[in-house]
Amino acid sequence: MIQENRKKIMDALEPRVRPEVFRTWCRDLDFVQVDENVVHVPAPNLFYRDWLERDLRRPLEDAFLTAFGRVPELVFRVRDEGVDEPAGAPAPEPGPLPPAPARPRPVDPPGNTLAINPAFTFDTFVAGPTNRLAHAAAVAVSECPGRDHNPLFIHGGVGLGKTHLLQAICQATLARNPFARIVYQSCESFVNDYISAMQKKHFESFRARYRGADLLVIDDVHFLGGKDSSQEEFFHTFNALHGAQRQIVLSSDSPPRDIRTLSERLISRFLSGCVARIDAPTFEMRVAILRKKAETRGLPLPPDVAAFVASRIQSNIRELDGAINKLIAYRSLMGRSLDLALAQEVLNDMCVSPSSTQLRPQQIIEAVARFYGKRPQDMTSRHWNKSTSRARQVAMYLCKHHTTLSLAEIGASFQKDHTTVLYSVRRIEALLQSDPTVKVDVESLSTQLGV
Ligand code: ADP
Ligand code: MG
């Protein structure tokens, strides 16, 4: 049991026993969590164990209830009986404890093993401008569940980190309270559970499981669209939990209103808490994600390789992950060094090549802005700004030469008309003949963009 949780129990136990008993007998108590429902309390000898059983069980159960809102099964055992830690010094003879008032123990729902990827934590999640709200709300929910953001509804496209955040909430919640009853399910499993409850007429256990949760996390809730009776059941589950201030966290590929054939009352429930959208990551976030993923695999990524991969894979973080895995596999299987050439091969192999993925103006704008130390919004700003004018012309030139877009379409990306684009393209074409600096800039940018 982590130290912080042990402290919570001890703080709750202290006022429940006489000070001299606490000082002498309880200070060295240890807790070994077996699962979410069972905790072993090791004792140095049989006598001590019997005393724990007889006199300390009730105060300890109350302490767990105060600390975590739940009482797990407490098993007092002599250390030498196995599993627990090595024997400590023999304990002196304990005296009796004052009797504690009888209190019925809460009944636990059937055990719930979370199918969670241990790598999906807040530590491994890169927060940035496109996911800042979702990240902040997720952290807040794990710190103060059921309070300010209930439900928390996170939506965004495929591979943008919804499941990662949901699982991070579960893991952070469990770290704070190892006895929290967490139900984490894909929406598809919820629907399947519901169907089998209907078939077997097991509604009671179905409802006990979902409505007994302290934290209900349903991934990909858009799956409810068009499933009327599952929606009905979910509506009642939602209300029962929400009414009891239990935290609900949902993810979806679209905002509540855009989920097809979702009942109006569910839409309004989903909108009633915090709705946070995740957008595709910026270039800087993509680089940070790549580096983090590579580091966790024990392989630092050279900056030029990270920049190259990040400029090619834009919209799906899962693909960034795939690219890292491939880079690492190629490197070790073929004994190659982790450089730009290898990255180029890996991306070609993943069909992320210029021919299969046409560059988009935004990609070019980001790369050029970075190159000249500007912000992407400066490149498209309506105001004429001398220092960004060259960068903007280069970006327009690259758009003209490396996309199939018309002058007007390129102009739209810069909030300019097609004559400005034409002028810029001509200007850079002329400078390429006369100014070696411009030539070098355009060539380096072309390499970075993989064209
Ligand atoms: P979604 O559920 O939105 O389809 P996932 O949560 O499954 O996406 O994320 C896909 C992959 O991308 C996972 O490997 C996840 O760890 C990673 N990922 C997504 N967003 C981030 C982020 N901001 N920081 C680090 N990794 C991320
Ligand atoms: Mg997902």
Side-chain angles (χ1 to χ4, degrees):
M1 166 145 325
I2 60 173
Q3 202 52 32
E4 199 184 319
N5 290 324
R6 180 181 182 278
K7 184 170 177 330
K8 279 191 202 161
I9 301 166
M10 298 309 281
D11 287 350
L13 180 64
E14 191 168 2
R16 293 186 157 80
V17 294
R18 288 200 314 271
E20 65 277 16
V21 171
F22 185 78
R23 264 198 317 276
T24 320
W25 311 115
C26 302
R27 280 248 171 100
D28 293 331
L29 276 175
D30 204 3
F31 306 99
V32 180
Q33 185 171 3
V34 176
D35 59 31
E36 70 265 36
N37 290 319
V38 179
V39 168
H40 285 182
V41 185
N45 53 43
L46 260 180
F47 185 86
Y48 195 86
R49 190 205 61 192
D50 292 347
W51 172 79
L52 286 171
E53 182 66 67
R54 193 186 61 241
D55 292 326
L56 203 66
R57 175 177 283 286
R58 288 240 174 97
L60 253 186
E61 286 176 350
D62 288 350
F64 270 86
L65 196 62
T66 305
F68 303 114
R70 286 188 64 214
V71 182
E73 169 101 30
L74 296 177
V75 180
F76 301 107
R77 57 190 314 158
V78 177
R79 277 186 207 273
D80 289 346
E81 279 176 7
V83 279
D84 303 319
E85 264 125 78
E93 266 196 24
L97 291 176
R103 179 205 288 269
R105 288 185 47 184
V107 180
D108 294 337
N112 165 38
T113 324
L114 290 174
I116 278 200
N117 182 341
F120 287 1
T121 62
F122 287 129
D123 281 348
T124 58
F125 191 83
V126 173
T130 63
N131 60 19
R132 181 113 42 222
L133 174 65
H135 173 257
V139 171
V141 153
S142 62
E143 285 171 358
C144 291
R147 250 201 14 209
D148 299 330
H149 312 289
N150 203 12
L152 169 59
F153 188 101
I154 296 177
H155 67 94
V158 177
L160 295 185
K162 301 182 297 295
T163 298
H164 188 137
L165 271 184
L166 262 49
Q167 297 198 2
I169 293 174
C170 296
Q171 301 204 54
T173 303
L174 266 187
R176 292 183 153 261
N177 179 355
F179 305 102
R181 284 169 296 197
I182 298 180
V183 175
Y184 168 87
Q185 287 285 15
S186 70
C187 189
E188 189 173 357
S189 309
F190 173 86
V191 170
N192 289 339
D193 270 9
Y194 176 64
I195 292 170
S196 77
M198 274 200 312
Q199 284 167 345
K200 297 180 192 147
K201 304 201 165 31
H202 279 167
F203 278 112
E204 247 173 59
S205 61
F206 173 86
R207 287 182 179 148
R209 174 162 150 64
Y210 285 95
R211 298 183 192 184
D214 299 316
L215 168 65
L216 175 68
V217 182
I218 300 288
D219 205 357
D220 294 327
V221 80
H222 52 264
F223 192 79
L224 277 182
K227 301 182 179 67
D228 293 345
S229 48
S230 297
Q231 282 188 32
E232 169 92 19
E233 181 62 30
F234 192 71
F235 177 74
H236 294 298
T237 306
F238 185 104
N239 288 343
L241 291 174
H242 198 264
Q245 270 111 46
R246 308 281 177 73
Q247 181 67 47
I248 301 162
V249 181
L250 308 167
S251 82
S252 159
D253 64 0
S254 49
R257 280 234 169 270
D258 295 355
I259 300 177
R260 281 182 46 236
T261 52
L262 188 67
S263 72
E264 193 53 43
R265 58 187 189 167
L266 268 182
I267 294 175
S268 79
R269 292 294 185 286
F270 291 176
L271 286 169
S272 67
C274 172
V275 178
R277 181 169 126 185
I278 304 188
D279 283 313
T282 62
F283 173 81
E284 289 78 6
M285 289 167 71
R286 298 197 297 275
V287 169
I289 290 167
L290 281 166
R291 296 186 123 188
K292 198 155 229 181
K293 298 254 177 218
E295 262 165 35
T296 53
R297 290 169 177 79
L299 199 77
L301 209 55
D304 58 340
V305 174
F308 175 73
V309 177
S311 66
R312 284 296 199 76
I313 300 177
Q314 309 232 327
S315 51
N316 185 330
I317 300 173
R318 198 168 287 135
E319 280 183 18
L320 287 179
D321 212 14
I324 289 286
N325 289 337
K326 267 215 146 129
L327 275 172
I328 291 174
Y330 273 46
R331 178 185 159 273
S332 65
L333 291 176
M334 302 182 189
R336 299 265 305 268
S337 60
L338 190 47
D339 54 16
L340 263 183
L342 185 69
Q344 181 94 49
E345 271 175 50
V346 163
L347 294 196
N348 284 344
D349 228 43
M350 291 174 73
C351 299
V352 184
S353 64
S355 54
S356 67
T357 318
Q358 199 193 84
L359 279 173
R360 287 179 296 114
Q362 191 51 35
Q363 227 172 319
I364 295 174
I365 290 169
E366 278 186 19
V368 175
R370 200 167 57 247
F371 187 83
Y372 287 108
K374 309 283 174 205
R375 298 175 308 166
Q377 57 267 42
D378 297 333
M379 307 279 294
T380 57
S381 141
R382 282 185 176 279
H383 305 291
W384 189 82
N385 177 332
K386 196 170 175 202
S387 75
T388 51
S389 138
R390 173 61 49 79
R392 197 182 288 160
Q393 289 174 344
V394 168
M396 287 179 179
Y397 168 88
L398 290 168
C399 285
K400 180 68 196 131
H401 283 266
H402 300 301
T403 72
T404 53
L405 299 175
S406 68
L407 292 173
E409 284 168 327
I410 295 170
S413 303
F414 290 84
Q415 305 189 35
K416 298 282 179 296
D417 64 19
H418 74 282
T419 48
T420 311
V421 180
L422 184 60
Y423 170 80
S424 302
V425 173
R426 296 266 156 83
R427 177 94 189 106
I428 297 300
E429 280 168 355
L431 286 172
L432 282 173
Q433 307 301 322
S434 61
D435 185 341
T437 333
V438 173
K439 192 161 187 286
V440 170
D441 288 359
V442 169
E443 278 170 3
S444 335
L445 276 163
S446 301
T447 314
Q448 261 191 38
L449 288 163
V451 290

